[in-house]
Amino acid sequence: MTLRAEGPASVEDVWLRYVTPACWPSWSPQIRAVRVDRDRLTPGTRGEIVSLFGVTAAFAVESVDDERRQWAWRVRLGPVRLRLRHEVLRRPDGSATTLRIEGSPLVVAAYAGPARWAIARLVRE
C-alpha cells in the first residue's frame, strides 16, 4: 500500500523531521517516544518505538539517501513485521511525502489510518 500527503512545509523541514528520531512524536501521534543511540538516521540504525499505549516495537533502518530524500526501515512487534519506505518530494507550494507499507495485508490495513494521519501532520508547517 502506498500513502501520500502534500502540505506547505518545505522539503528540507520534512526531511529533517524524518531523519531525526527525536522529532517523530511531534508529527506522529501514535509514537510517544523513540529510543535510539544516535541523533540522525543512518543505514544500520537500530532502536525502539514506544507507542501511546506503552507497546514497544523494534526497528532497523535499511537505507538513507539524503540526496533523493528517501529512506527505508523494518519494524517488528512480536510476530508482526512491516517494511516502510519513505520519500519526500518538492512541490511548488511546499512538499509531498509518500509512504510504501509492505507486510501482512491485515496489518497494513490496520496501520494505514494512523500512518495517513501522521504523514499529513509531517508536511504541515
Side-chain angles (χ1 to χ4, degrees):
M1 176 181 292
T2 300
L3 307 176
R4 180 184 176 92
E6 294 189 28
S10 72
V11 292
E12 293 81 10
D13 286 346
V14 173
W15 182 245
L16 186 61
R17 290 175 196 156
Y18 258 146
V19 297
T20 309
C23 292
W24 294 357
S26 70
W27 56 266
S28 186
Q30 68 269 30
I31 296 176
R32 185 178 356 162
V34 180
R35 298 179 188 141
V36 64
D37 64 354
R38 53 191 72 163
D39 296 332
R40 190 174 194 290
L41 296 182
T42 58
T45 299
R46 294 184 178 277
E48 296 178 325
I49 300 166
V50 181
S51 78
L52 284 176
F53 306 106
V55 176
T56 302
F59 71 85
V61 176
E62 295 179 335
S63 63
V64 178
D65 186 331
D66 288 306
E67 195 171 303
R68 292 183 173 166
R69 294 185 191 95
Q70 298 174 346
W71 71 285
W73 59 322
R74 292 188 183 272
V75 180
R76 179 179 48 82
L77 174 60
V80 176
R81 308 269 194 275
L82 288 175
R83 182 169 189 255
L84 302 109
R85 291 184 288 163
H86 303 271
E87 182 176 24
V88 180
L89 306 163
R90 188 175 305 280
R91 292 290 171 254
D93 57 347
S95 61
T97 187
T98 61
L99 166 57
R100 173 114 177 113
I101 309 167
E102 300 170 4
S104 160
L106 185 60
V107 175
V108 170
Y111 183 66
R116 187 174 283 115
W117 185 28
I119 65 172
R121 290 171 50 102
L122 174 66
V123 294
R124 289 188 204 157
E125 285 189 297

